[in-house]
Amino acid sequence: MTWNIAGYLVYLLLSTYTIVFIGKRLHSNGIHFIRKVFTNEETASSVNNLLLLGYYLVNIGYLFMTISYWEPITNFPALLLILTERIGIIYLLLALLHYNNILCLYLYAKWNHIDLFTLKNNYHG
């Protein structure tokens, strides 16, 4: 087995696990925030599911796309270097997408005069 194939396997396994694990956590915990923005339960659930789907599509697409740009790996230190770089980029992308979604939901709530910072939930369903 070449170093590139070993790198691909480790990269795909670690990154896919991370993407799925974080996606499930954001989906289950994010619904509470989304319910404050969209007071209709059906709308909140749909938006939450669409955010999860978009999250998976963007991240897994990026994951597979980056493999095509790898240079040949000749030794173990080079393998570690490329894995840490690529997995680090995945983590940064996850954070950027997460904060972008929070900002969009915040702006939507602000434009619709929804108070997100009270302890009382606006959910009425």
Side-chain angles (χ1 to χ4, degrees):
M1 181 178 336
T2 67
W3 289 110
N4 277 64
I5 293 173
Y8 297 157
L9 291 174
V10 171
Y11 176 68
L12 289 174
L13 289 173
L14 283 175
S15 297
T16 302
Y17 174 77
T18 301
I19 289 168
V20 170
F21 176 76
I22 291 174
K24 286 182 180 181
R25 296 289 292 224
L26 292 174
H27 186 260
S28 64
N29 294 326
I31 189 66
H32 306 294
F33 180 74
I34 292 172
R35 281 183 184 147
K36 289 186 74 92
V37 176
F38 301 100
T39 56
N40 180 320
E41 173 64 28
E42 191 173 307
T43 303
S45 180
S46 295
V47 168
N48 197 32
N49 291 335
L50 286 172
L51 285 172
L52 181 65
L53 177 65
Y55 165 87
Y56 283 148
L57 290 174
V58 167
N59 284 291
I60 291 175
Y62 176 79
L63 178 82
F64 286 111
M65 190 180 74
T66 57
I67 288 179
S68 66
Y69 295 108
W70 280 21
E71 58 275 355
I73 301 171
T74 57
N75 55 32
F76 186 70
L79 174 65
L80 289 179
L81 181 67
I82 194 123
L83 283 175
T84 55
E85 178 185 314
R86 301 298 172 154
I87 292 173
I89 291 171
I90 289 282
Y91 288 168
L92 289 173
L93 180 63
L94 294 176
L96 287 172
L97 287 173
H98 178 65
Y99 286 115
N100 181 57
N101 287 341
I102 289 174
L103 177 64
C104 289
L105 289 170
Y106 169 76
L107 292 174
Y108 176 84
K110 185 175 180 179
W111 288 329
N112 289 294
H113 308 289
I114 299 169
D115 184 14
L116 296 175
F117 301 108
T118 61
L119 294 176
K120 180 181 173 231
N121 195 336
N122 293 334
Y123 174 65
H124 301 294

